[in-house]
Structure formats: C-alpha cells, structure tokens
Amino acid sequence: MLAGMARSLVIKVTAGTDSPERCAQAFTVAATAIASGVDVSLWLTGESSWFGLPGRAAEFELPHSAPLAELLHVILTSGRVTVCTQCAARREITESDLLPGVRIAGAAVFVEESLADGVQALIY
C-alpha cells in the first residue's frame, strides 16, 4: 500500500440465522477491520437484514463467536451499516424500524462504494 493511501472495506453479508457461521464471520471481519483503523461499510442483505432492527442481533447465538450485538455496536460506532432496499421491502422493514445509524440503500450505492478508489469488497 502506498503511504497516505487510505484503504476501505465494503462487506456484504448475505446470511443470517440461516447460516450462522458465515454471518458471524462477516460481522467479525468488519469489527476487526474497524479496530485496525480501516473504514468499513457493512451491507446487510437477505436474512441478515433483520440485524438492522433493535434487539435482533442480541438474539443471535453461535458458540465460540463474539456476541453479534457487540460486533454490531462496534461497526455502528465507527463504520456504516446499510440494509439492502429490496431486502428491506421484502421483509416490510422501513427506515423507522431500524437501529439508529442504520440506513436503507440500493444496488447503485453498493456499486458506488465498492468501486471507489482504495476499496476492497468482500461478500459472505
């Protein structure tokens, strides 16, 4: 990496309680990157969309994994969290349902973030 060149990470998580290990990996990587000083944008799609709502992350359990609610708190404190527009609509989730700091946005915003200079995109 060139000196002074900031790197960012866009992470899309496509799994929720339907694939708990994949879900937890995405949140863990996002929180770890933030702790390392990386700018992170976490996209909640598919079943992970539910974690944009209050209390849902606290219900998630996976042995030997950091609590999802704690990871989400770290991400919301220093990064960005977005719920996919179509995924929210399919689940009848609206902006007013979401945790403070979580937004709803669509594919155009995801593509814009993912293609910006210095960005690495990961999909779980």
Side-chain angles (χ1 to χ4, degrees), residues 15-86:
T17 57
D18 56 328
S19 184
E21 288 182 305
R22 191 162 30 115
C23 177
Q25 288 169 2
F27 279 79
T28 300
V29 168
T32 301
I34 286 171
S36 301
V38 175
D39 178 53
V40 173
S41 176
L42 179 68
W43 282 72
L44 306 177
T45 68
E47 287 301 300
S48 72
S49 300
W50 294 114
F51 297 125
L53 278 69
R56 293 295 183 102
E59 297 171 0
F60 181 91
E61 291 185 16
L62 182 64
H64 310 290
S65 179
L68 206 67
E70 290 179 20
L71 297 172
L72 180 57
H73 176 74
V74 168
I75 300 162
L76 280 169
T77 300
S78 300
R80 290 174 309 290
V81 178
T82 306
V83 174
C84 157
T85 300
Q86 290 182 15

Side-chain angles (χ1 to χ4, degrees), residues 11-15 41-53 80-95 98 102-111 113:
I11 299 174
K12 179 186 273 194
V13 55
T14 62
S41 176
L42 179 68
W43 282 72
L44 306 177
T45 68
E47 287 301 300
S48 72
S49 300
W50 294 114
F51 297 125
L53 278 69
R80 290 174 309 290
V81 178
T82 306
V83 174
C84 157
T85 300
Q86 290 182 15
C87 301
R90 281 189 281 275
R91 290 159 181 82
E92 299 181 357
I93 297 171
T94 66
E95 291 271 356
L98 298 173
V102 178
R103 67 176 177 169
I104 294 176
V109 177
F110 177 77
V111 169
E113 284 188 9

